[in-house]
Amino acid sequence: MRLTSARTVLAVVLSCFSIAVLAQSQDDKAAAPEIPVREIQVAAESFTRGDPVPAWVERADIPTTSRTDPAVLRLWDSQFRAGSTPSYFVSRAIQVNDSNLLAAVGQVSLEFVPQYQKLHLHSLRVLRGREVLDQTARVQVRFLQRELGLENGVYSGTVAAVLLVADLRVGDTVQYAYSIDGANPVFGSTYAQDAGWDWNMPVELRRVILNHPLAEPVQWKMVGDVNGPEIRPEISEAAGWRKLRFTQRGYKPEDVDRWVPKDFMPYRGLQFSTWDNWNNVARWANDLFPPAAVPGELQARVAQWKSLPTAEQRAVAALQWVQDEIRYFSVSIGESSHRPHPPADVVRDRYGDCKDKTYLLVTLLRAMDLEATPVLTSLSGPRIVPRYLPSPSVFDHILVRLRLDGVDYYLDPTMKGQSASLARSGTGIEGAAILPVAPETRQLDRMHWPDELARNTMTLEEVLEVPAFDSDATLSANWTWMGVDAEIMRVNTRSISEERLRKFALSSYERRYPGIDLAGKPVLEDDPVANRVTMTVRFKLPKPAKEYPEGWLVKYGASNMNGVYDLPQNIKRSFPAVVTRAPYRMRYKMRIVWPANVAVMRDPVIRHVRNAFFEYGINRSFRGNVLQTEMTLDTLKESVTPSELEMLAASLQQLNGVTPQGELVEREAIKRSGFLGLDLGAPSLSQTLRRRLQQELEAYDRAIAGGRLKGSDMVEALCRRAEVRAEVRAEMDQAPLGLADAEQAVRLAPAVPRAWECRGHVLRDSREFARSIPDYTRALALGGEEASLLQSRGISRFFLGKYDEALADFGQSVAAGQTDSEVRHYPMLWQGLTARRLGQPVSAELLAAAKGVGINSNWPSPLLGLVAGTLNEDDVLQAARRKKGDDQDMALTEAWFFVGQARLAKADAKGAQDAFEQARKLGVTVYLEYQAAGWELERMGKPAAR
């Protein structure tokens, strides 16, 4: 259900300047995409055939070739003549060696704009060995106009003269020469032209010649990202003209695939320009947007908008009107390629392209005394514009920059579905180069959106309820789209049919849960102010729990993260690759409610992976019969270099290794009779915990003794056995053995943070608080999970009485944790306890988190209220007692510990002792609060009952 970036989807639609960009100029277009066309007639004077080659053109011999590639460009010659009557000449000779290419090579397409250009076909010949078959006079010519309006709402006036070569055979060479006179009058006396250098086939001879008057200097630049020999021109002068001749022989560009980024130029190109600087371009563009009156039809509406309370509301009202009421359609003939139509005409016709809609929006905003400026940019290459010479031809889009209270907002009137808040609107391309259309503009600027990552977020929250292992289940899913995604959903769902919405809702689940069906209609909710669209769906799942010898398995996964990375088929490559959308944030939450007879004891597990490509965090906890998993994935880089691609592939493998695809409930965790599978009346929880720890210890003993574990697997096994031994030390005297395991892990992998972390845990749990601190610090330095390690180090410092240092650790742990995770509550609670010990107020973050928390809030939220002072201890104990079975004992263990801390803060030592003893009596030995209650009792000089 992942959505493609809106900017990618709409790039073609929004590109409204109908001129060629450098990568594909008029003289060297590759095969055109399949777009609906219609045949037209052109004026007789617009096309001629058989004319002699202009006198200013230098002849070039066609080189021979021994290449056997499917097609070989034997000659590619482009010659330009600047000045008052600009013209250019092209000669190509393409040898076809593969029958599959006969159709493509045998159809020659020459594009021109009859309104201001004239096309001369000088020759069309087929070279077959020594035979020359001249088809110039008899070749069939059809004039076709691409009906872009049918697909993209664009009518440019460009015509393709299509020549159908007759009797073409494998081994033949098609040679043709033509010239085009004339230039778009919108550019006046300036000159700008570009010529591709590389093509998607081998080239035997590439030549580009520029002729320009000495009195009218022309700058040139070779642009591109591929390595190759430096191309410098031969320069000659005669009769008041300068000639620049660029030549390269015998080369073969590398193949380009769909992964090449827009901001990487795999094919080199030459650019020519008489524009001296960007200020000249800005002043030229400014003349295209003179001040205009508000169209009469809108004057009353503008007066109404001006009465809105804030400048932002006035701007949003104008933006949404232009987006919704003026449909996108471009009539870009002649000067209309760049000169916008007057706002009154646009409102009358109710259509326009980017420049028309921008002109109208700027007029409306300025009429309300808002600071609005048109800005030129490029959708096809947003960040490479600064690499070009100054020229209007490097831009293909225009939008509006609105400045409010010193903050810039970029309003695109060709978009749809944008929100009522500019600060929450979907962002454009971060870092895209822009040229403000104003006389004072001296240089390029760039777009920047604050909090771009936060405004490009997709969240999926799921709740799976399994009443019995062999029964059907229900799944509730809540999808939330923010920013650009919300705007796409807002537009796409306005008229979506119920059946299509149903298929959309099922699309992410049908493979994982065969037989899944909707339990009701999907519910869509739109919050334009927050720019958020949500979809809530309920499903019926046929028996999702599958039985295995070890237990019962339920599959789940972050559907919104599926396919977020798209790696090239070949990892080893020469060009960089676009691999994802970035920056982008995906959040996933899953809550599985297992059958009531499931009793699992697992402390929260936090894992964090951060590298140059992405940041990933996962929190998992399993208490009683409720599993909770939360994942966050932030993509940081959209494209990677060839050398980075292998590192990314390895990082994704690491990511797969820590990302769960399901959850297994072991048979030992299923109560079969009595309480937790034991005889009625037995002290079930403590006995069960001891039994399970013993079973886990025996399993690790077998695995380690088997000798098959290596590397990180061995380290993890040693660490886990060390921690289990620390947990069961009281009953089995395992503490020395646990420390030995941890020290072995450190010896085996001194560069692995997990080894130092587990030794720190064993030392802390053995009350060696001072010795544990350097281990936690070392694990942090090695890149271990920051939030968890800082919390652990803070606890050791807390029980050493180093409250100032502990408070700093807990504060950093809170800052490093997941923003909306319940796991994040624990370091916040310790931070609050420590502040109370120091006689300081609790943090503003804790107060905010505790706001509105009551006895019915999800656990452990009531503890936040206790520490913040918004709930009393009776409320918290009542909240814990609302839970059932084992979950109640676990919650009460935590509740009594924090009640004891609250009593200590009030100098009630006797009451604190009673609370800590209550926490110990419940026997939840695997809980930190159980151990910490014992440490507090020992500090009081009291025995810690076990």
Side-chain angles (χ1 to χ4, degrees):
M1 204 177 286
R2 185 172 65 90
L3 296 178
T4 306
S5 166
R7 299 295 169 179
T8 301
V9 172
L10 301 179
V12 176
V13 176
L14 302 185
S15 298
C16 65
F17 291 164
S18 58
I19 60 172
V21 294
L22 183 64
Q24 194 176 51
S25 68
Q26 277 188 308
D27 86 297
D28 55 342
K29 286 186 179 293
E34 292 186 4
I35 297 174
V37 298
R38 66 185 179 97
E39 188 166 3
I40 64 169
Q41 298 293 321
V42 300
E45 63 271 15
S46 297
F47 172 78
T48 61
R49 68 170 89 199
D51 295 347
V53 173
W56 56 269
V57 171
E58 282 190 16
R59 298 301 180 102
D61 294 329
I62 300 175
T64 60
T65 184
S66 59
R67 297 177 187 267
T68 58
D69 298 79
V72 180
L73 195 52
R74 294 171 59 186
L75 172 66
W76 183 12
D77 187 26
S78 306
Q79 302 187 40
F80 303 92
R81 183 176 176 86
S84 58
T85 56
S87 178
Y88 66 87
F89 167 87
V90 178
S91 177
R92 291 198 191 94
I94 305 175
Q95 179 172 309
V96 56
N97 298 323
D98 188 326
S99 60
N100 291 322
L101 293 182
L102 287 174
V105 176
Q107 183 171 293
V108 177
S109 180
L110 312 177
E111 290 192 357
F112 70 114
V113 183
Q115 187 179 16
Y116 55 77
Q117 289 181 326
K118 183 173 183 179
L119 171 62
H120 307 272
L121 177 62
H122 302 296
S123 63
L124 174 64
R125 304 182 302 168
V126 173
L127 312 181
R128 184 174 296 153
R130 296 184 179 182
E131 190 177 3
V132 177
L133 307 176
D134 193 332
Q135 299 187 20
T136 309
R138 60 185 177 88
V139 65
Q140 180 184 357
V141 181
R142 299 176 64 199
F143 296 98
L144 304 180
Q145 192 156 48
R146 290 176 177 164
E147 295 286 2
L148 290 174
L150 296 179
E151 292 202 349
N152 298 329
V154 177
Y155 183 82
S156 67
T158 300
V159 172
V162 179
L163 319 178
L164 187 59
V165 182
D167 189 22
L168 184 63
R169 308 174 188 179
V170 171
D172 288 351
T173 294
V174 176
Q175 187 275 327
Y176 57 94
Y178 67 95
S179 62
I180 294 180
D181 302 330
N184 193 332
V186 74
F187 299 115
S189 61
T190 61
Y191 183 79
Q193 184 62 61
D194 48 71
W197 194 262
D198 299 321
W199 201 316
N200 58 358
M201 65 179 72
V203 180
E204 294 293 358
L205 173 60
R206 175 57 170 144
R207 187 175 71 169
V208 174
I209 297 176
L210 172 67
N211 299 272
H212 71 87
L214 285 172
E216 301 174 18
V218 178
Q219 302 178 74
W220 69 271
K221 187 175 185 179
M222 177 74 81
V223 293
D225 291 309
V226 295
N227 295 322
E230 183 180 14
I231 309 298
R232 306 289 302 181
E234 298 177 13
I235 302 176
S236 60
E237 297 178 3
W241 286 79
R242 176 178 287 118
K243 180 176 293 187
L244 287 75
R245 185 185 295 104
F246 303 81
T247 305
Q248 184 177 359
R249 292 181 178 273
Y251 64 99
K252 181 180 180 180
E254 295 196 41
D255 292 334
V256 176
D257 56 33
R258 65 178 178 85
W259 286 275
V260 174
K262 290 191 295 185
D263 289 329
F264 182 84
M265 291 183 278
Y267 290 158
R268 296 168 294 170
L270 270 170
Q271 184 190 11
F272 302 113
S273 178
T274 60
W275 298 85
D276 293 335
N277 51 60
W278 290 114
N279 177 249
N280 288 340
V281 179
R283 287 190 288 109
W284 164 83
N286 186 65
D287 291 341
L288 302 176
F289 294 84
V294 173
E297 181 181 336
L298 293 183
Q299 289 177 2
R301 194 178 293 271
V302 169
Q304 180 184 3
W305 292 338
K306 290 177 73 172
S307 66
L308 293 173
T310 68
E312 180 181 15
Q313 289 174 322
R314 296 193 286 274
V316 169
L319 171 65
Q320 292 183 338
W321 192 92
V322 176
Q323 288 181 337
D324 294 341
E325 298 296 328
I326 306 298
R327 77 180 190 273
Y328 185 91
F329 191 84
S330 175
V331 180
S332 301
I333 303 174
E335 291 199 12
S336 295
S337 63
H338 288 75
R339 188 181 302 280
H341 295 87
D345 294 354
V346 175
V347 173
R348 179 198 65 210
D349 297 335
R350 281 299 201 274
Y351 65 73
D353 59 17
C354 65
K355 58 187 179 297
D356 301 325
K357 299 183 77 168
T358 289
Y359 194 12
L360 173 59
L361 180 58
V362 166
T363 299
L364 298 176
L365 294 174
R366 289 176 176 173
M368 295 185 287
D369 301 319
L370 299 176
E371 187 179 349
T373 305
V375 291
L376 298 172
T377 189
S378 172
L379 293 177
S380 58
R383 302 180 189 91
I384 61 176
V385 169
R387 298 168 61 181
Y388 292 129
L389 294 171
S391 169
S393 65
V394 300
F395 302 105
D396 59 24
H397 191 48
I398 188 167
L399 47 97
V400 180
R401 183 181 68 187
L402 174 67
R403 184 162 290 170
L404 290 179
D405 299 325
V407 178
D408 288 340
Y409 300 96
Y410 297 94
L411 315 182
D412 193 334
T414 62
M415 295 290 286
K416 286 282 191 179
Q418 295 209 289
S419 75
S421 169
L422 297 179
R424 297 180 183 273
S425 292
T427 64
I429 302 170
E430 174 67 18
I434 57 173
L435 186 72
V437 178
E440 63 273 13
T441 298
R442 293 289 182 270
Q443 59 188 11
L444 296 169
D445 202 347
R446 73 180 187 92
M447 296 187 199
H448 174 66
W449 281 263
D451 300 324
E452 186 182 28
L453 185 60
R455 288 194 288 164
N456 286 280
T457 299
M458 184 200 296
T459 301
L460 171 59
E461 299 182 13
E462 297 176 332
V463 177
L464 177 59
E465 297 179 83
V466 185
F469 286 113
D470 59 350
S471 72
D472 294 345
T474 60
L475 173 68
S476 300
N478 185 276
W479 293 78
T480 302
W481 295 275
M482 302 286 290
V484 171
D485 288 350
E487 290 156 15
I488 296 174
M489 289 296 297
R490 186 172 295 121
V491 172
N492 290 346
T493 57
R494 281 176 180 171
S495 58
I496 191 171
S497 68
E498 183 178 321
E499 179 60 21
R500 285 187 63 194
L501 185 60
R502 176 184 177 277
K503 290 181 178 179
F504 178 66
L506 285 167
S507 61
S508 295
Y509 298 99
E510 289 179 307
R511 290 189 178 183
R512 182 179 298 133
Y513 304 118
I516 188 174
D517 200 1
L518 295 179
K521 295 180 181 179
V523 177
L524 285 167
E525 295 183 6
D526 187 5
D527 183 351
V529 175
N531 201 18
R532 177 174 58 233
V533 173
T534 61
M535 181 178 71
T536 303
V537 196
R538 283 184 60 81
F539 302 96
K540 297 179 293 186
L541 273 62
K543 298 183 179 180
K546 305 302 180 186
E547 187 175 11
Y548 292 89
E550 299 84 2
W552 292 81
L553 175 71
V554 168
K555 293 182 179 180
Y556 70 93
S559 299
N560 57 331
M561 298 182 188
N562 289 345
V564 65
Y565 277 94
D566 176 25
L567 269 57
Q569 295 175 347
N570 297 318
I571 298 298
K572 295 186 181 299
R573 57 189 285 116
S574 302
F575 299 148
V578 174
V579 293
T580 189
R581 169 184 173 183
Y584 192 48
R585 171 169 291 162
M586 289 142 286
R587 290 177 175 169
Y588 173 73
K589 293 182 180 180
M590 165 57 88
R591 186 169 183 262
I592 301 180
V593 182
W594 293 85
N597 62 336
V598 170
V600 175
M601 305 289 174
R602 294 181 194 164
D603 277 344
V605 174
I606 304 174
R607 290 290 180 264
H608 189 260
V609 178
R610 181 179 175 87
N611 50 47
F613 315 110
F614 59 80
E615 184 170 2
Y616 173 80
I618 179 170
N619 298 326
R620 302 177 71 196
S621 64
F622 205 152
R623 298 166 60 96
N625 69 327
V626 178
L627 167 75
Q628 297 193 87
T629 300
E630 178 184 342
M631 304 180 218
T632 300
L633 177 64
D634 291 349
T635 61
L636 306 178
K637 294 185 71 172
E638 182 177 80
S639 60
V640 295
T641 65
S643 60
E644 290 175 327
L645 197 54
E646 291 189 26
M647 291 186 288
L648 173 59
S651 297
L652 292 177
Q653 287 185 345
Q654 179 188 11
L655 184 63
N656 290 335
V658 298
T659 301
Q661 300 298 321
E663 188 68 31
L664 179 73
V665 171
E666 297 86 353
R667 295 188 182 278
E668 292 78 8
I670 303 172
K671 295 180 287 185
R672 292 177 174 78
S673 63
F675 189 60
L676 281 177
L678 303 175
D679 293 335
L680 291 175
S684 57
L685 186 56
S686 58
Q687 283 191 359
T688 300
L689 288 174
R690 286 196 297 272
R691 175 171 57 84
R692 290 183 185 167
L693 288 171
Q694 180 61 37
Q695 290 172 344
E696 188 174 358
L697 190 61
E698 291 171 356
Y700 283 116
D701 287 341
R702 291 192 298 271
I704 293 171
R708 295 184 178 181
L709 298 178
K710 304 292 181 184
S712 60
D713 291 336
M714 183 62 172
V715 170
E716 182 58 35
L718 286 168
C719 282
R720 188 61 195 132
R721 187 171 72 174
E723 291 163 346
V724 171
R725 282 173 163 168
E727 290 169 352
V728 301
R729 64 189 181 282
E731 292 78 6
M732 305 177 190
D733 195 25
Q734 294 283 326
L737 294 175
L739 183 58
D741 278 343
E743 289 177 340
Q744 184 181 354
V746 169
R747 287 194 299 272
L748 285 175
V752 175
R754 176 73 172 109
W756 297 94
E757 177 190 39
C758 80
R759 194 173 78 171
H761 288 341
V762 171
L763 290 169
R764 183 199 63 190
D765 293 349
S766 301
R767 300 170 181 80
E768 297 279 355
F769 302 116
R771 290 180 62 194
S772 72
I773 291 173
D775 283 358
Y776 289 136
T777 302
R778 184 64 176 273
L780 281 166
L782 291 172
E785 170 52 46
E786 191 176 8
S788 176
L789 288 166
L790 285 166
Q791 179 183 340
S792 296
R793 190 175 70 178
I795 290 171
S796 290
R797 285 172 166 167
F798 180 93
F799 284 99
L800 285 173
K802 297 182 177 182
Y803 297 121
D804 287 318
E805 296 176 21
L807 186 64
D809 276 346
F810 294 136
Q812 293 180 59
S813 177
V814 170
Q818 297 296 313
T819 55
D820 58 354
S821 168
E822 291 178 4
V823 176
R824 184 172 179 258
H825 291 169
Y826 289 97
M828 196 179 293
L829 288 167
W830 282 96
Q831 182 188 32
L833 295 183
T834 311
R836 297 290 193 199
R837 287 290 180 102
L838 290 169
Q840 299 177 7
V842 299
S843 68
E845 282 184 301
L846 175 57
L847 290 174
K851 186 176 181 180
V853 167
I855 62 173
N856 294 321
S857 299
N858 289 336
W859 194 264
S861 295
L863 297 176
L864 296 171
L866 175 68
V867 177
T870 59
L871 290 181
N872 60 44
E873 60 183 59
D874 289 337
D875 292 332
V876 172
L877 291 170
Q878 182 182 350
R881 291 187 178 110
R882 290 180 67 252
K883 293 183 170 293
K884 303 297 182 184
D886 306 330
D887 207 13
Q888 182 186 93
D889 285 355
M890 291 184 284
L892 280 170
T893 299
E894 294 177 324
W896 279 117
F897 172 75
F898 284 101
V899 165
Q901 293 292 338
R903 291 175 178 177
L904 278 181
K906 297 176 183 177
D908 180 7
K910 179 63 173 65
Q913 177 185 337
D914 292 342
F916 293 139
E917 288 175 348
Q918 288 294 331
R920 297 284 293 184
K921 285 180 181 178
L922 292 165
V924 187
T925 57
V926 296
Y927 263 29
L928 174 65
E929 289 78 9
Y930 170 88
Q931 299 181 54
W935 301 338
E936 289 289 12
L937 287 169
E938 289 184 1
R939 290 210 288 191
M940 295 177 173
K942 305 295 181 182
R946 297 186 176 90

